[in-house]
Amino acid sequence: MSTTDFTALSGLELMRWVQSVRPTETDIPSIGRLLGMRFDEVEHGRIVISLDTRPDFANPLGTVHGGIAATLLDSVMGCAVHTTLPAGVGYTTLELKVNYIRAAHTGGQTLTAEGNVIHAGRRTATAEGKVLDDQGKLVAHATTTCLIIGGSD
């Protein structure tokens, strides 16, 4: 396990740490490790994460379950919000609105999600996100509202 003091890191520093240690290659339990997420880009207010689909992601119709896209979107938007927060301040998702556009296939297709902060306030933040397939076609898009936890009021 890591000896890094996560509470001492700003949100941007924490996301850059996650990017550098690659969750799929550590023993630290996380949704990123479970799904094989790669943190491709980490900037203030913006995150890009990708993953490769696999048969375990299938819904009863044999395409990627919508929860995979929703998880990607929740992750990129929430992590984008987190990059705007100081050390010791966190967030939780209050609302997630996902629009599905097309199905994704389970055979090793790369899905890439991008999340961007729209507003980062003292108590709430909003962000938008999209998931593209490996042909650059829109699979899903979303918005979120996050509650900021901790810090001074």
Side-chain angles (χ1 to χ4, degrees), residues 19-111:
Q19 181 184 34
S20 71
V21 300
R22 295 180 292 280
T24 58
E25 299 174 12
T26 70
D27 61 351
I28 301 170
S30 70
I31 192 68
R33 184 179 77 171
L34 180 66
L35 297 181
M37 292 180 181
R38 298 177 296 272
F39 280 67
D40 301 324
E41 297 178 41
V42 175
E43 301 170 22
H44 185 270
R46 181 176 175 272
I47 296 281
V48 177
I49 296 174
S50 62
L51 59 72
D52 298 324
T53 64
R54 57 183 191 252
D56 287 340
F57 293 175
N59 62 25
L61 299 174
T63 58
V64 173
H65 190 281
I68 299 297
T71 299
L72 266 172
L73 288 161
D74 189 39
S75 296
V76 295
M77 293 184 299
C79 288
V81 166
H82 201 164
T83 66
T84 68
L85 302 178
V89 178
Y91 72 94
T92 189
T93 301
L94 283 175
E95 177 266 341
L96 175 66
K97 167 68 171 91
V98 179
N99 294 283
Y100 297 98
I101 307 302
R102 66 176 35 84
H105 303 287
T106 60
Q109 179 179 45
T110 299
L111 298 180

